[in-house]
Amino acid sequence: PRQPAKTLWYDRPRYVYLEFCVEGSSDVKVVIEDERLVFSCRNADGVEFYNEINLYARVNSKDSREKRSDRSITCFMRKWKEKVAWPRITKENIKPAWLSVDFDNWRDWEGDEEVERAMVEQYAEV
C-alpha cells in the first residue's frame, strides 16, 4: 500500500517550492505539468510514497526541476505569473493532512529576488 509523503511548501516571487520529506529515497519519479505535480518514490524500508497535487495556479513545467538529497526531494516550479502570491499550493481549498507550510523558508518578498536567484542557481548546479 502506498501513502503520501509528508510535504512542505513555500512561495517566492518567481518560484513555488515543494519538499517531499522521504529519507533514503529511491525510484524517485517527479512529473511536473503546467497545472499538476505527481511525485512517487520508495524509502529505505521499501515503503511506497505517492503524492498528486493539482496546483493552485499554472507553472512553467519546462523551467521547473527537482533535487534529491538524503533526507528529501525538493521541487521548484517556475510560476507562470511571477510576483503573484499563492495563498495555497493546491487548486482545491482544502489542506491535506500531509501538507504543511514551510515556515522556516517562508518570508516577506521585499528584496527577496536576489536570494531566490541564488537558491535557483545553487539547485541548477547539481
Side-chain angles (χ1 to χ4, degrees), residues 87-98:
R88 60 185 184 271
I89 192 73
T90 58
K91 187 174 212 66
E92 305 81 17
N93 193 7
I94 52 166
K95 187 187 148 313
W98 48 265

Side-chain angles (χ1 to χ4, degrees), residues 9-126:
W9 83 281
Y10 59 101
D11 188 30
R12 285 287 194 277
R14 293 170 48 197
Y15 288 85
V16 174
Y17 296 81
L18 277 166
E19 182 178 10
F20 297 98
C21 305
V22 180
E23 290 195 28
S25 61
S26 63
D27 299 330
V28 175
K29 292 183 186 68
V30 177
V31 178
I32 299 171
E33 299 172 352
D34 290 351
E35 296 181 8
R36 185 174 79 128
L37 178 140
V38 178
F39 166 81
S40 66
C41 76
R42 293 181 187 280
N43 69 5
D45 298 327
V47 176
E48 191 176 335
F49 292 92
Y50 179 87
N51 297 62
E52 186 171 331
I53 300 170
N54 292 314
L55 299 171
Y56 171 77
R58 195 168 174 204
V59 297
N60 181 345
S61 57
K62 294 181 179 31
D63 191 16
S64 300
R65 52 181 61 93
E66 74 277 345
K67 178 184 178 185
R68 184 182 162 277
S69 72
D70 291 342
R71 295 175 167 226
S72 65
I73 299 89
T74 303
C75 301
F76 51 104
M77 299 171 288
R78 180 77 174 256
K79 293 178 177 179
W80 201 258
K81 292 183 181 169
E82 293 185 10
K83 299 182 182 173
V84 175
W86 287 24
R88 60 185 184 271
I89 192 73
T90 58
K91 187 174 212 66
E92 305 81 17
N93 193 7
I94 52 166
K95 187 187 148 313
W98 48 265
L99 182 64
S100 303
V101 170
D102 184 350
F103 288 107
D104 290 343
N105 285 304
W106 195 280
R107 61 175 65 96
D108 290 333
W109 286 1
E110 202 164 307
D112 207 32
E113 289 193 35
E114 288 302 313
V115 173
E116 184 181 33
R117 191 170 295 122
M119 285 174 62
V120 169
E121 287 170 5
Q122 172 191 338
Y123 280 119
E125 289 171 9
V126 173

